[in-house]
Amino acid sequence: MIPAAFEYVRPTTVDEAVQAVAEGGEDVKVMAGGQSLIPVMRLRLAAPSTVVDLGRVAEMRGVRDEGDVLVIGAMTTHAEVIADPLVAQHARLIAEATETVADRQTRRRGTFGGALAHADPAGDLPAVALALDAEMVVAGPGGRRTVPARDFFVDYLTTTLDEGEVLVEIRVPKLAGQWGVRYEKFNRVAQAWSIVAVAAAVRRENGSIAEARIGLTNMGPTPLRASATEAALAGAGASPDAIAAAARSAAEGTSPSSDLNAQADYREHLAQVLTRRAVTAAAGL
């Protein structure tokens, strides 16, 4: 189908983008890579009065090193994230998860920030941002503010972005010490959304697990941390038995949905299995 008529604005700076979004009113839509927005517009499930295309805002692209933090521009494409040497060195979990996003064509157009701002609970990257304690830098009419990933995702397809605000960049703390990472994803066919996925980062120390961070994909309306499993792993021996025991708590505090792909109890089972696999691999076992 053909989308409904709309005004098209293509800013070249963050300030211009914020102004265009503010002037667009309630029916404005921000377009990053367009991989989620364009299909729903073609189906007329969305009919914005104005589309603000961020494709030419150069300051929102690229990856840079800022000491203890890696900064990823919101308009950096998935393909660019995968190929970036700084991401490979300091945030390998992001690269690993991004490699599972959709297909090559989508990864060439879709963006890191767009995937986070879209906030689909079945998307791969929100849980990774949560596991890595990332922070979102948001620009709006009142200036810029920083929002921790744990506060950014508030409901299904809903973030803390206020009217007139744009996600500019993502700040990812570097993992210092002996960290291992793993992204485990279960889906029915190649290129499909996650039925359940698990992002794990594990720090080992003296043969034990000193710290574990575990993000869950599609186990509720927002990405979640497997807090009970994280607590059980802290200080535990880095052994298959200890990891398996801790993974049994992975679904605690979650609220997975039942749909055509899986029932809620099956998703809970998958969360336990994938958590065990992800933590085992991240721990180097």
Side-chain angles (χ1 to χ4, degrees):
M1 293 179 63
I2 306 292
F6 58 90
E7 296 292 326
Y8 178 76
V9 183
R10 199 171 197 185
T12 57
T13 68
V14 171
D15 289 343
E16 288 179 2
V18 169
Q19 181 179 352
V21 173
E23 291 175 350
E26 293 183 359
D27 293 332
V28 68
K29 287 290 186 182
V30 175
M31 184 169 71
Q35 301 305 289
S36 297
L37 178 61
I38 290 176
V40 296
M41 288 179 62
R42 286 177 61 87
L43 292 172
R44 300 210 176 188
L45 297 175
S49 60
T50 303
V51 172
V52 179
D53 182 354
L54 302 180
R56 289 187 177 174
V57 184
E59 61 191 292
M60 292 175 62
R61 297 189 85 111
V63 182
R64 67 181 188 274
D65 190 327
E66 289 193 357
D68 294 334
V69 175
L70 202 63
V71 182
I72 304 176
M75 286 298 295
T76 307
T77 67
H78 300 312
E80 290 167 343
V81 167
I82 293 169
D84 192 274
L86 289 173
V87 175
Q89 182 179 357
H90 300 295
R92 187 160 49 87
L93 183 58
I94 293 177
E96 197 171 301
T98 304
E99 287 177 343
T100 75
V101 172
D103 52 29
R104 287 180 179 270
Q105 293 90 332
T106 299
R107 292 194 293 270
R108 294 288 293 182
R109 292 290 304 169
T111 66
F112 187 55
L116 296 176
H118 186 50
D120 192 318
D124 297 290
L125 301 179
V128 174
L130 192 63
L132 294 178
D133 291 331
E135 294 181 328
M136 318 301 180
V137 179
V138 174
R144 296 196 180 196
R145 63 188 179 102
T146 301
V147 183
R150 64 180 178 273
D151 300 325
F152 186 73
F153 307 102
V154 297
D155 205 345
Y156 179 75
L157 299 180
T158 306
T159 70
T160 191
L161 286 170
D162 290 332
E163 186 175 329
E165 289 188 324
V166 174
L167 177 60
V168 175
E169 61 189 25
I170 300 89
R171 300 177 64 84
V172 183
K174 295 178 182 177
L175 296 177
Q178 295 184 337
W179 285 89
V181 299
R182 183 72 167 199
Y183 189 69
E184 286 282 343
K185 176 176 178 175
F186 185 85
N187 53 305
R188 293 182 61 184
V189 294
Q191 306 171 10
W193 297 101
S194 298
I195 294 177
V196 174
V198 175
V202 174
R203 179 168 62 88
R204 291 186 59 175
E205 196 173 272
N206 299 323
S208 297
I209 295 175
E211 182 182 358
R213 303 179 190 172
I214 303 166
L216 303 176
T217 296
N218 215 8
M219 287 297 290
T222 65
L224 300 167
R225 288 280 285 265
S227 302
T229 297
E230 291 177 349
L233 287 170
S239 68
D241 289 344
I243 292 171
R248 295 189 190 104
S249 304
E252 287 187 13
T254 65
S255 54
S257 62
S258 293
D259 54 30
L260 292 175
N261 292 312
Q263 296 297 304
D265 59 348
Y266 182 53
R267 283 195 162 95
E268 292 175 353
H269 168 73
L270 285 175
Q272 297 175 31
V273 172
L274 296 179
T275 296
R276 175 176 53 79
R277 292 178 183 174
V279 172
T280 299
L285 301 179

